[in-house]
Amino acid sequence: MAEILFLAVLAAIPGLMFLWGFRVLPREGWQIMAAVPVRKTENGWQGVNLLWYGFFIATSVVFGMAVVYVLLRSIKVPVLSIMTASASVIALCLPAAAIVARIIEGKKHTFTVGGASFIGIILAPWIFLAINSFEPIKFNVPVMAVLAAMSVGYAFGEGMGRLACISFGCCYGKPIKECSAPVRKLFSRFHFVFHGVTKKIAYSQGLDGQQVVPVQAVTAIILSITGITGTIIFLSGAFALSFVLTVCTTQIWRILSEFLRADFRGHQRFSAYQAMAVIAAASTFAVSLFLKSHPVPVDISAGLVSLWSPGAIIFFQAAWLASFLYTGRSSVTSSRIHFHVMKDRV
């Protein structure tokens, strides 16, 4: 019963957010969340814009981490091991999202989930092996099970994180009118039309107001289904299969989805992000052959109960805040703020 409830929640939370987000987030009013005055000028105050992009990225990061936490606690991985591994991966992946985009696209003020996930997939096995070798504590973490849980959490996190892309108008698809006949027919009714001059799709290529392939939405749905499938396999104890299936599905879709995108992905026809996806999928097979998967009993009820501990709640709150502060402050938009007294109310 607990497993069914857990899976139902994993399907319901993203599902409800997608039903709302796909309809609302392409609108102009769902890019900038708030403007904070930071410096007085002759024309008022200059503001820093806080983005819904950061809100959804932070929420998706914490949602994915919560899934990982529950799965790993269900196989009795120590809390300190989980938090150490999660913090290590986040500390590597968040900066990588900016660094890889700068290297490939030549842009200082952008992020790439593809680059961040590539770094995480490549380095995660070695992080967990290093944690296992930490003699003073002797974590003895089942590495393959941890990799499986992390890959499931990644699928959920990136799937939900596509709401951030819809809000900001980035990672956008090709105009429907420029696609092949089968693609036009497929997305004739289900497509996105973005509005707002500060959306990336507008200032980058002037495609606001046009029907475009809803590649972010399709990605969100496919990756969330992948996460649910990986969770079911994880709960059955087949950790290696869960790991390989989840990572390979997400990376294969990354390769395919790039052909539906119109945003700049480098000058090559087969982009660097697609090449990284191929390497990530291949490394997953190699790791699954190198590491042994030991059978471990799974008790999802224990994992769900442990989620409500004060330490876990504080950790997730801190992770949400750190993610929001890193990704939620806009560096490509600005604002002017004016304050005045409403004299008729004095």
Side-chain angles (χ1 to χ4, degrees), residues 121 147-156 222-234 238-253 281 284:
I121 292 169
L147 290 173
M150 285 283 187
S151 65
V152 169
Y154 159 69
F156 278 116
I222 289 177
L223 267 57
S224 296
I225 292 173
T226 300
I228 292 172
T229 304
T231 302
I232 294 172
I233 297 172
F234 183 97
F239 304 127
L241 178 59
S242 177
F243 172 55
V244 172
L245 177 69
T246 306
V247 174
C248 288
T249 301
T250 58
Q251 299 311 300
I252 289 172
W253 173 246
T284 299

Side-chain angles (χ1 to χ4, degrees), residues 323-344:
S323 298
F324 178 77
L325 292 177
Y326 188 78
T327 62
R329 293 177 295 172
S330 177
S331 58
V332 296
T333 66
S334 184
S335 55
R336 292 191 186 124
I337 305 171
H338 296 272
F339 299 101
H340 65 275
V341 175
M342 301 177 66
K343 293 184 178 180
D344 60 324

Side-chain angles (χ1 to χ4, degrees), residues 20-37:
W20 169 81
F22 296 166
R23 179 174 56 87
V24 171
L25 292 179
R27 299 175 186 171
E28 184 174 6
W30 284 93
Q31 181 182 5
I32 297 174
M33 182 179 183
V36 180

Side-chain angles (χ1 to χ4, degrees), residues 174-187 213 260:
K174 294 180 178 179
I176 299 292
K177 62 184 179 182
E178 297 180 7
C179 296
S180 62
V183 175
R184 289 200 304 270
K185 183 177 181 180
L186 180 63
F187 295 111
V213 176
L260 297 174

Side-chain angles (χ1 to χ4, degrees), residues 2-343:
E3 294 181 353
I4 295 175
L5 177 62
F6 181 55
L7 292 170
V9 170
L10 292 183
I13 292 177
L16 292 173
M17 292 183 70
F18 295 162
L19 284 174
W20 169 81
F22 296 166
R23 179 174 56 87
V24 171
L25 292 179
R27 299 175 186 171
E28 184 174 6
W30 284 93
Q31 181 182 5
I32 297 174
M33 182 179 183
V36 180
V38 292
R39 187 170 64 253
K40 185 89 179 277
T41 68
E42 293 180 357
N43 298 318
W45 286 81
Q46 181 177 338
V48 170
N49 295 331
L50 303 180
L51 304 175
W52 284 107
Y53 179 95
F55 174 88
F56 288 114
I57 288 292
T59 302
S60 65
V61 166
V62 170
F63 183 72
M65 287 175 58
V67 172
V68 173
Y69 184 87
V70 171
L71 292 178
L72 293 184
R73 288 301 293 149
S74 71
I75 58 174
K76 295 182 171 53
V77 174
V79 172
L80 184 57
S81 300
I82 299 173
M83 293 186 176
T84 301
S86 299
S88 300
V89 172
I90 290 176
L92 287 170
C93 290
L94 279 181
I99 295 170
V100 174
R102 182 178 301 184
I103 294 172
I104 294 175
E105 301 178 35
K107 298 178 181 179
K108 295 181 179 179
H109 304 291
T110 189
F111 296 101
T112 167
V113 175
S117 63
F118 172 73
I119 297 298
I121 292 169
I122 296 298
L123 295 183
W126 312 109
I127 292 174
F128 304 142
L129 288 173
I131 290 173
N132 263 358
S133 64
F134 192 58
E135 287 297 328
I137 300 179
K138 294 183 178 179
F139 287 122
N140 195 27
V141 175
V143 176
M144 184 55 70
V146 175
L147 290 173
M150 285 283 187
S151 65
V152 169
Y154 159 69
F156 278 116
E158 183 172 352
M160 185 179 291
R162 289 299 155 177
L163 293 175
C165 301
I166 300 172
S167 170
F168 193 73
C170 62
C171 307
Y172 45 88
K174 294 180 178 179
I176 299 292
K177 62 184 179 182
E178 297 180 7
C179 296
S180 62
V183 175
R184 289 200 304 270
K185 183 177 181 180
L186 180 63
F187 295 111
S188 60
R189 297 184 63 184
F190 178 48
H191 51 257
F192 282 153
V193 178
F194 290 91
H195 299 281
V197 295
T198 58
K199 299 267 192 182
K200 186 175 181 180
I201 191 173
Y203 65 75
S204 181
Q205 290 184 275
L207 296 178
D208 54 316
Q210 298 188 36
Q211 296 179 355
V212 296
V213 176
V215 64
Q216 307 100 319
V218 178
T219 299
I221 293 170
I222 289 177
L223 267 57
S224 296
I225 292 173
T226 300
I228 292 172
T229 304
T231 302
I232 294 172
I233 297 172
F234 183 97
L235 295 177
S236 72
F239 304 127
L241 178 59
S242 177
F243 172 55
V244 172
L245 177 69
T246 306
V247 174
C248 288
T249 301
T250 58
Q251 299 311 300
I252 289 172
W253 173 246
R254 180 172 298 283
I255 295 169
L256 298 176
S257 66
E258 292 272 324
F259 295 114
L260 297 174
R261 291 174 61 165
D263 57 322
F264 180 71
R265 313 296 290 161
H267 298 288
Q268 302 85 1
R269 183 167 184 176
F270 192 81
S271 74
Y273 295 108
Q274 290 171 305
M276 287 191 293
V278 172
I279 295 171
S283 70
T284 299
F285 277 107
V287 168
S288 68
L289 296 175
F290 174 73
L291 295 176
K292 294 182 179 180
S293 180
H294 302 287
V296 180
V298 181
D299 182 4
I300 198 63
S301 298
L304 291 170
V305 169
S306 68
L307 183 63
W308 301 111
S309 66
I313 293 173
I314 293 172
F315 178 75
F316 291 136
Q317 289 175 333
W320 190 96
L321 182 61
S323 298
F324 178 77
L325 292 177
Y326 188 78
T327 62
R329 293 177 295 172
S330 177
S331 58
V332 296
T333 66
S334 184
S335 55
R336 292 191 186 124
I337 305 171
H338 296 272
F339 299 101
H340 65 275
V341 175
M342 301 177 66
K343 293 184 178 180

